[in-house]
Amino acid sequence: MPQPAHRQRLLRAMTDAGYSSTRSRRAIVDAITSAPGGLTAAAILERAQNAHPSLGLVTVYRTLDILSGLGLVRRIHMEGGCHTYALAQCAHGHHIICERCHRAVEFEGCELHALENSVTLQTGFRITDHWLEMFGLCPSCQQEADEVPAQSDCLAAD
Amino acid sequence: MPQPAHRQRLLRAMTDAGYSSTRSRRAIVDAITSAPGGLTAAAILERAQNAHPSLGLVTVYRTLDILSGLGLVRRIHMEGGCHTYALAQCAHGHHIICERCHRAVEFEGCELHALENSVTLQTGFRITDHWLEMFGLCPSCQQEADEVPAQSDCLAAD
DNA sequence: GTGATTGCAAATCGTTTGCATTCAG
DNA sequence: CTGAATGCAAACGATTTGCAATCAC
């Protein structure tokens, strides 16, 4: 399920920022906006090559740099020093990642301010930035985990 | 300033877990416990080589695996996919890292539970883990930054 | 047409592995 | 003495860079 609104938004933002709209970039934006969550650079390449077979990994990285520089995509740090890239949807977002299907969902992290105050008191640091990710099981995977993996997975909640 | 209490604690925990106390490991533990905060593997190597010149980077990594496996050292994920390793001091700790001197100080992150509840409500995920790091200026670096280093860039707006 | 963009090959960087040597108990 | 631990060299995977060919405007 592609999300035309997001696709448009990203493409628009890129051209507004002075980047030309190329076939490679369109394919990459399509791959990202049509994914349910975070993708590695390699996964983005694979998906985007459906629309543009000669696309190279290098261009994926370069486009991701642009997109995350513009705040349109967020780089999610995974165990083992590799990354996943997910659409930035809300303002002050962080991601929660499903440990089973790797879906990444954004949530508002403003509650963090209380913690920041507490940390300032505890440590005396002047806080300038933070970095938060959560891990768990998304609703569909919880069901699958509960209703013993019979085989089907008929009722994927969204 | 070495911290004999911590050094003892780590060495003891390693031997208790069945790892022998070797010269390499002692040098590495010394480097970690005498540092004011997080160090990269390369930085640990450099420091430890004072006490043990023929030490190799591989052994640093292997020892860090053991130490973080035992929960004695925490691996801190930095921008650019590399890591820093810091002494784990309190139970449920996360680190706040000084952007200037890279000192890493641990704080209690229990306040996070409120946020976890909120995220559960927002997303329906069953949360199993989280990952939080903060960045800022430590007290000493704030002073140095305020008491303007005399010469340059006097009025950097933040 | 012209500068931006691309993609290949090769370089880089942090980290891990294979294996023969050395060390701790 | 014997298995655990070490360190070198080489492998590895993600990401970046040099450069000539290609594309968007």
Side-chain angles (χ1 to χ4, degrees):
Chain A
M1 61 184 84
Q3 298 201 249
H6 283 306
R7 188 183 51 192
Q8 280 306 102
R9 179 167 61 86
L10 300 216
L11 292 174
R12 177 76 194 281
M14 287 186 83
T15 53
D16 284 359
Y19 298 99
S20 42
S21 169
T22 68
R23 190 173 166 208
S24 308
R25 287 173 181 166
R26 268 176 269 124
I28 292 167
V29 164
D30 277 4
I32 295 170
T33 55
S34 68
L39 297 172
T40 61
I44 292 171
L45 176 68
E46 195 179 333
R47 282 169 161 255
Q49 280 182 331
N50 291 334
H52 185 184
S54 68
L55 180 67
L57 190 53
V58 191
T59 303
V60 174
Y61 279 111
R62 284 193 276 231
T63 305
L64 287 171
D65 272 355
I66 295 173
L67 290 171
S68 59
L70 295 173
L72 302 165
V73 156
R74 270 187 251 285
R75 172 182 294 199
I76 300 175
H77 306 252
M78 308 291 281
E79 274 308 335
C82 71
H83 302 102
T84 272
Y85 300 82
L87 190 59
Q89 311 198 49
C90 62
H92 215 76
H94 295 278
H95 283 91
I96 177 159
I97 297 129
C98 180
E99 290 177 329
R100 205 155 174 277
C101 70
H102 297 112
R103 190 147 74 102
V105 173
E106 215 171 38
F107 61 86
E108 277 285 342
C110 302
E111 250 92 345
L112 224 56
H113 287 131
L115 181 59
E116 287 195 347
N117 289 336
S118 152
V119 172
T120 300
L121 286 175
Q122 277 182 61
T123 64
F125 271 61
R126 184 185 301 160
I127 298 171
T128 56
D129 197 10
H130 60 250
W131 196 21
L132 171 65
E133 272 147 42
M134 291 196 172
F135 303 90
L137 279 182
C138 74
S140 347
C141 288
Q142 282 173 45
Q143 288 203 354
E144 286 174 36
D146 292 346
E147 296 168 5
V148 184
Q151 59 185 44
S152 46
D153 74 283
C154 330
L155 13 81
D158 197 49
Chain B
M1 62 183 82
Q3 297 200 250
H6 283 306
R7 188 182 52 190
Q8 280 306 101
R9 180 169 60 87
L10 300 216
L11 292 175
R12 178 74 194 283
M14 289 187 83
T15 54
D16 284 359
Y19 298 100
S20 44
S21 168
T22 66
R23 191 174 165 205
S24 307
R25 289 175 179 164
R26 269 177 267 124
I28 291 168
V29 165
D30 277 5
I32 294 170
T33 55
S34 66
L39 296 172
T40 62
I44 292 171
L45 176 68
E46 196 179 333
R47 282 169 161 254
Q49 280 183 331
N50 291 334
H52 186 183
S54 69
L55 181 65
L57 191 51
V58 192
T59 302
V60 174
Y61 279 110
R62 285 195 274 232
T63 304
L64 287 171
D65 273 354
I66 294 173
L67 291 170
S68 59
L70 295 174
L72 302 166
V73 156
R74 269 187 252 284
R75 172 183 295 198
I76 301 175
H77 305 251
M78 308 292 281
E79 275 306 336
C82 73
H83 302 102
T84 271
Y85 300 82
L87 192 58
Q89 311 197 49
C90 62
H92 215 76
H94 295 279
H95 282 92
I96 177 160
I97 297 129
C98 180
E99 290 177 328
R100 206 155 173 277
C101 69
H102 297 111
R103 190 147 74 104
V105 173
E106 217 172 32
F107 60 86
E108 276 288 342
C110 302
E111 250 93 345
L112 224 56
H113 287 130
L115 181 60
E116 288 194 347
N117 289 336
S118 154
V119 171
T120 300
L121 287 175
Q122 277 182 62
T123 64
F125 271 61
R126 182 185 303 159
I127 299 171
T128 56
D129 197 11
H130 59 248
W131 196 21
L132 170 65
E133 271 145 42
M134 293 198 170
F135 303 90
L137 278 182
C138 74
S140 349
C141 289
Q142 282 174 45
Q143 288 203 355
E144 285 173 36
D146 291 347
E147 297 170 3
V148 183
Q151 45 199 31
S152 55
D153 67 284
C154 323
L155 18 80
D158 195 51

